[in-house]
Amino acid sequence: MTEHEDGDAPADLRLTSAEWSMWQAFRNGSTCELHVGDPARDDPHGQHLWGPERRVRARVVALLLLESPHAQPGRVAALKLTGAYITDTLDLAGGTIKPFVELRDCRFEAELVLPESRFTTLRLVNCAIPRVEAARLHTEGDLHLPRCVVQSGVRLTDAQIGTDLLLNQIVVHKDRQGRSIMADGMTVAQDLQAEMIESYGELSLRGATVGVTLSLRGSRLSNPFGRRALNAPQLTVERTLYLTPAGLANSPFSSGVTPPYGIAHTPSRGTRMQRFECEGGMRLDDGRFGDAIDLEDARFVMESDQELSLRRIQTPELRFLGERPQRGRVVLSGARVVTLVDRSASWPGLGGLWMAGFAYETLVPHGRFPLTVRLRWVAAATPEYAPEPYEMLAAALRRSGEDADAREVLLAKQRRRRETLPLAGKAWGFLQDWTVAYGYRPGRAAVWMAILWAIGAAYFAGSPPPPLKPEEAPVWNPYLYALDLLLPVVDLNQGTAWKPAGGAQWVAAVLILAGWVLATTVAAGASRLLRRQ
């Protein structure tokens, strides 16, 4: 089928009036308007049937885009179609489409087939589409699908988007594999905006790359059919991943995108501002995020076997400020974060948090987050004793200049470790804790030393022991004698010059043993301090 030299359609096409209008508008670069003027009847997602006056055949649309008749002199050809019902399957697989394409308020009778096709810019705004099949799609400019309703999934596997991918307020239902949007390996050169979307199935972004920002502000991801609502391991976002509230274009939570491609009307949940919600598990394992992951006011509804999995992620900042999950687990094992911004009410309780190997440098709590609550946070993440979470918290507090709190954390670590020891180890641990708090409170040693010295001096002042060698004995001094017994290693030439017997022998033994216990505990605490430094 070939076009006429003057740009008119081939006669054998037998264009309808709607198709003829579309053909002429294409050559002029103008918009072909097929609305009837009634908002209810013009709604592509409504129940009203659209008659033949609005129908255009998919083969005619494909001919315009692939063969591209000559534009009118002084005009740039472009397909701008509004309010059309596109019959049959629009199949552009493998094609190169040079004209600008924008379809608004259109209905598609069958799926849109775009695998391995190349566009400059493709915009589908507020359209009703059974399915979008666009694996390995390539665009030099934007790909827009705002406010579209797709009944059987969108496939963008290995697609390459030259600038922005805009999906704001799209509603996508699952395909036969249970996936709503399948975009594994996709590359977006600039922003991926998917704000206030509704996804019913698994949104898959495995190995995808976003050149600037990925925004899921105000979106609702729901997958009652499988384990995860968002499956995005090895995702790379050069700037920030937003899982935060969103609102209309004039609200405080707006991303700044203007209609018709931004958020233009009150969303289906009926509020001008709504938060991000995920009903099902979320997997961001091994992701790389150049600026931050922002979970402010996010809500996660999970079953007991589902996870918010952030294993081995790397990001300068994690803002964990969402609502506390009631079920499921939050997993941060192996994650690397520079700054952790959090609040106590956001973390799950005992058994709901795993963070073995989780590394962070700075803590920035929002609201009141006392040390006792922070210690419960660590305990909730370690059903079995592990030293790393305590040491990581102590190091972060020390970097913030809170040395006293850091010592309290390390003391809590020793007490937690004591629970795993056999009976003898527990007894020794209780003794160290009671006397000098495992060396983290060395002032206690001085107090105990002074008390024992006073008791010993008072006892020996009233019951002096006989000299071992009377001709060589020094002048009797009960204070120096008691001190010599208490201080291990140090020799004041008193302890070996006298021979206690009876009760005095037992008092001397107690002083010697107490001195060694205190000295050993203080030395152990000092060695731990030196190792940390």
Side-chain angles (χ1 to χ4, degrees), residues 39-67:
R41 297 183 65 84
D42 287 334
D43 183 4
H45 316 299
Q47 301 299 317
H48 291 281
L49 297 177
W50 288 6
E53 72 281 359
R54 305 177 69 163
R55 299 191 178 193
V56 297
R57 289 168 290 172
R59 61 186 290 232
V60 178
V61 176
L63 183 62
L64 278 175
L65 295 178
L66 297 174
E67 298 295 334

Short mmCIF file of all heavy atoms in Angstrom, two decimals, residues 39-67:
data_model
loop_
_atom_site.label_atom_id
_atom_site.label_comp_id
_atom_site.label_asym_id
_atom_site.label_seq_id
_atom_site.Cartn_x
_atom_site.Cartn_y
_atom_site.Cartn_z
N PRO A 39 -18.98 15.45 28.89
CA PRO A 39 -17.91 14.83 29.68
C PRO A 39 -18.16 13.36 30.00
O PRO A 39 -17.23 12.55 29.98
CB PRO A 39 -17.87 15.68 30.95
CG PRO A 39 -18.39 17.02 30.53
CD PRO A 39 -19.45 16.71 29.51
N ALA A 40 -19.42 13.02 30.27
CA ALA A 40 -19.72 11.62 30.60
C ALA A 40 -19.51 10.72 29.38
O ALA A 40 -18.98 9.62 29.49
CB ALA A 40 -21.15 11.49 31.12
N ARG A 41 -19.94 11.18 28.20
CA ARG A 41 -19.81 10.36 26.98
C ARG A 41 -18.38 10.39 26.43
O ARG A 41 -17.98 9.48 25.70
CB ARG A 41 -20.78 10.85 25.92
CG ARG A 41 -22.25 10.71 26.33
CD ARG A 41 -23.18 11.15 25.21
NE ARG A 41 -23.04 10.27 24.04
CZ ARG A 41 -23.68 9.11 23.91
NH1 ARG A 41 -24.51 8.69 24.86
NH2 ARG A 41 -23.53 8.37 22.84
N ASP A 42 -17.62 11.43 26.80
CA ASP A 42 -16.25 11.51 26.32
C ASP A 42 -15.26 10.79 27.22
O ASP A 42 -14.07 10.69 26.88
CB ASP A 42 -15.83 12.99 26.20
CG ASP A 42 -16.50 13.68 25.02
OD1 ASP A 42 -16.84 12.98 24.05
OD2 ASP A 42 -16.66 14.91 25.08
N ASP A 43 -15.71 10.30 28.37
CA ASP A 43 -14.82 9.60 29.30
C ASP A 43 -14.44 8.24 28.72
O ASP A 43 -15.30 7.37 28.56
CB ASP A 43 -15.52 9.41 30.65
CG ASP A 43 -14.61 8.75 31.68
OD1 ASP A 43 -13.43 8.50 31.37
OD2 ASP A 43 -15.10 8.46 32.79
N PRO A 44 -13.16 8.00 28.40
CA PRO A 44 -12.78 6.71 27.80
C PRO A 44 -12.94 5.54 28.76
O PRO A 44 -12.97 4.39 28.33
CB PRO A 44 -11.31 6.92 27.42
CG PRO A 44 -10.83 8.00 28.32
CD PRO A 44 -12.00 8.90 28.56
N HIS A 45 -13.05 5.83 30.07
CA HIS A 45 -13.19 4.76 31.06
C HIS A 45 -14.65 4.56 31.47
O HIS A 45 -14.93 3.73 32.34
CB HIS A 45 -12.34 5.09 32.29
CG HIS A 45 -10.97 5.61 31.96
ND1 HIS A 45 -10.05 4.86 31.27
CD2 HIS A 45 -10.39 6.82 32.20
CE1 HIS A 45 -8.94 5.57 31.11
NE2 HIS A 45 -9.13 6.76 31.66
N GLY A 46 -15.57 5.31 30.87
CA GLY A 46 -16.98 5.22 31.21
C GLY A 46 -17.69 4.06 30.53
O GLY A 46 -17.09 3.27 29.80
N GLN A 47 -19.01 4.00 30.72
CA GLN A 47 -19.81 2.88 30.21
C GLN A 47 -20.48 3.18 28.87
O GLN A 47 -21.04 2.28 28.25
CB GLN A 47 -20.89 2.52 31.24
CG GLN A 47 -20.34 2.12 32.59
CD GLN A 47 -19.44 0.89 32.51
OE1 GLN A 47 -19.77 -0.08 31.81
NE2 GLN A 47 -18.32 0.93 33.20
N HIS A 48 -20.41 4.42 28.41
CA HIS A 48 -21.08 4.76 27.16
C HIS A 48 -20.36 4.13 25.97
O HIS A 48 -19.13 4.13 25.89
CB HIS A 48 -21.13 6.28 26.99
CG HIS A 48 -22.05 6.95 27.96
ND1 HIS A 48 -23.41 6.99 27.80
CD2 HIS A 48 -21.78 7.61 29.13
CE1 HIS A 48 -23.96 7.63 28.82
NE2 HIS A 48 -23.00 8.03 29.64
N LEU A 49 -21.16 3.62 25.02
CA LEU A 49 -20.58 3.09 23.78
C LEU A 49 -20.20 4.24 22.85
O LEU A 49 -20.87 5.26 22.82
CB LEU A 49 -21.58 2.17 23.09
CG LEU A 49 -21.99 0.91 23.87
CD1 LEU A 49 -23.05 0.13 23.08
CD2 LEU A 49 -20.78 0.03 24.14
N TRP A 50 -19.15 4.05 22.10
CA TRP A 50 -18.71 5.05 21.14
C TRP A 50 -19.06 4.57 19.74
O TRP A 50 -18.71 3.45 19.33
CB TRP A 50 -17.20 5.30 21.26
CG TRP A 50 -16.82 6.07 22.51
CD1 TRP A 50 -17.67 6.42 23.52
CD2 TRP A 50 -15.53 6.58 22.84
NE1 TRP A 50 -16.98 7.12 24.48
CE2 TRP A 50 -15.67 7.24 24.10
CE3 TRP A 50 -14.29 6.56 22.24
CZ2 TRP A 50 -14.59 7.86 24.74
CZ3 TRP A 50 -13.23 7.17 22.86
CH2 TRP A 50 -13.38 7.83 24.10
N GLY A 51 -19.73 5.41 19.00
CA GLY A 51 -20.22 5.04 17.67
C GLY A 51 -19.17 5.13 16.58
O GLY A 51 -18.01 5.49 16.83
N PRO A 52 -19.56 4.82 15.35
CA PRO A 52 -18.62 4.81 14.22
C PRO A 52 -18.01 6.17 13.92
O PRO A 52 -16.95 6.25 13.30
CB PRO A 52 -19.48 4.31 13.05
CG PRO A 52 -20.89 4.55 13.46
CD PRO A 52 -20.93 4.41 14.94
N GLU A 53 -18.68 7.26 14.33
CA GLU A 53 -18.13 8.59 14.06
C GLU A 53 -16.84 8.86 14.84
O GLU A 53 -16.13 9.84 14.56
CB GLU A 53 -19.17 9.67 14.40
CG GLU A 53 -19.43 9.91 15.88
CD GLU A 53 -20.35 8.86 16.52
OE1 GLU A 53 -20.80 7.94 15.78
OE2 GLU A 53 -20.61 8.95 17.73
N ARG A 54 -16.50 7.97 15.80
CA ARG A 54 -15.27 8.16 16.59
C ARG A 54 -14.28 7.04 16.36
O ARG A 54 -13.21 7.03 16.99
CB ARG A 54 -15.62 8.25 18.09
CG ARG A 54 -16.64 9.32 18.39
CD ARG A 54 -17.03 9.36 19.85
NE ARG A 54 -15.92 9.83 20.69
CZ ARG A 54 -16.09 10.25 21.94
NH1 ARG A 54 -17.31 10.28 22.48
NH2 ARG A 54 -15.09 10.66 22.65
N ARG A 55 -14.58 6.12 15.47
CA ARG A 55 -13.73 4.94 15.28
C ARG A 55 -12.71 5.17 14.18
O ARG A 55 -13.04 5.68 13.10
CB ARG A 55 -14.58 3.72 14.98
CG ARG A 55 -15.55 3.38 16.11
CD ARG A 55 -16.19 2.04 15.93
NE ARG A 55 -17.07 1.72 17.04
CZ ARG A 55 -17.58 0.53 17.28
NH1 ARG A 55 -17.31 -0.47 16.47
NH2 ARG A 55 -18.36 0.32 18.33
N VAL A 56 -11.48 4.78 14.49
CA VAL A 56 -10.43 4.77 13.48
C VAL A 56 -9.76 3.40 13.54
O VAL A 56 -9.58 2.83 14.61
CB VAL A 56 -9.40 5.90 13.72
CG1 VAL A 56 -10.06 7.27 13.59
CG2 VAL A 56 -8.73 5.77 15.08
N ARG A 57 -9.42 2.89 12.37
CA ARG A 57 -8.82 1.56 12.31
C ARG A 57 -7.33 1.63 12.67
O ARG A 57 -6.63 2.58 12.31
CB ARG A 57 -8.97 0.97 10.92
CG ARG A 57 -10.41 0.56 10.58
CD ARG A 57 -10.55 0.26 9.11
NE ARG A 57 -10.43 1.48 8.30
CZ ARG A 57 -10.37 1.49 6.98
NH1 ARG A 57 -10.40 0.33 6.30
NH2 ARG A 57 -10.27 2.63 6.32
N ALA A 58 -6.86 0.62 13.38
CA ALA A 58 -5.47 0.57 13.79
C ALA A 58 -4.54 0.55 12.59
O ALA A 58 -3.45 1.15 12.62
CB ALA A 58 -5.22 -0.65 14.68
N ARG A 59 -4.96 -0.08 11.48
CA ARG A 59 -4.10 -0.15 10.30
C ARG A 59 -3.89 1.23 9.69
O ARG A 59 -2.83 1.53 9.14
CB ARG A 59 -4.69 -1.11 9.27
CG ARG A 59 -6.06 -0.74 8.73
CD ARG A 59 -6.60 -1.85 7.84
NE ARG A 59 -5.86 -1.95 6.59
CZ ARG A 59 -6.44 -1.95 5.39
NH1 ARG A 59 -7.77 -1.86 5.30
NH2 ARG A 59 -5.73 -2.05 4.30
N VAL A 60 -4.89 2.11 9.81
CA VAL A 60 -4.73 3.46 9.28
C VAL A 60 -3.76 4.25 10.16
O VAL A 60 -2.90 5.00 9.67
CB VAL A 60 -6.10 4.16 9.20
CG1 VAL A 60 -5.93 5.59 8.69
CG2 VAL A 60 -7.05 3.38 8.30
N VAL A 61 -3.89 4.09 11.46
CA VAL A 61 -2.95 4.76 12.38
C VAL A 61 -1.53 4.27 12.12
O VAL A 61 -0.58 5.07 12.04
CB VAL A 61 -3.35 4.51 13.84
CG1 VAL A 61 -2.33 5.11 14.79
CG2 VAL A 61 -4.74 5.07 14.13
N ALA A 62 -1.35 2.95 11.95
CA ALA A 62 -0.02 2.39 11.68
C ALA A 62 0.54 2.93 10.37
O ALA A 62 1.73 3.23 10.27
CB ALA A 62 -0.10 0.87 11.65
N LEU A 63 -0.31 3.06 9.34
CA LEU A 63 0.15 3.58 8.05
C LEU A 63 0.63 5.03 8.20
O LEU A 63 1.67 5.41 7.66
CB LEU A 63 -0.97 3.50 7.02
CG LEU A 63 -0.62 3.95 5.59
CD1 LEU A 63 0.47 3.06 5.02
CD2 LEU A 63 -1.85 3.94 4.70
N LEU A 64 -0.09 5.84 8.96
CA LEU A 64 0.33 7.21 9.19
C LEU A 64 1.70 7.28 9.88
O LEU A 64 2.57 8.07 9.51
CB LEU A 64 -0.69 7.95 10.05
CG LEU A 64 -1.93 8.52 9.37
CD1 LEU A 64 -2.87 9.10 10.41
CD2 LEU A 64 -1.55 9.58 8.35
N LEU A 65 1.88 6.43 10.87
CA LEU A 65 3.10 6.51 11.68
C LEU A 65 4.30 5.87 11.00
O LEU A 65 5.43 6.37 11.13
CB LEU A 65 2.86 5.84 13.03
CG LEU A 65 1.82 6.52 13.93
CD1 LEU A 65 1.65 5.74 15.23
CD2 LEU A 65 2.21 7.96 14.23
N LEU A 66 4.08 4.79 10.26
CA LEU A 66 5.21 4.07 9.65
C LEU A 66 5.56 4.60 8.26
O LEU A 66 6.73 4.63 7.88
CB LEU A 66 4.91 2.57 9.60
CG LEU A 66 4.73 1.88 10.96
CD1 LEU A 66 4.29 0.45 10.78
CD2 LEU A 66 6.03 1.94 11.76
N GLU A 67 4.55 5.00 7.49
CA GLU A 67 4.79 5.50 6.13
C GLU A 67 4.86 7.02 6.08
O GLU A 67 5.52 7.59 5.20
CB GLU A 67 3.69 4.99 5.19
CG GLU A 67 3.64 3.48 5.06
CD GLU A 67 4.90 2.90 4.42
OE1 GLU A 67 5.57 3.62 3.66
OE2 GLU A 67 5.21 1.72 4.70
#
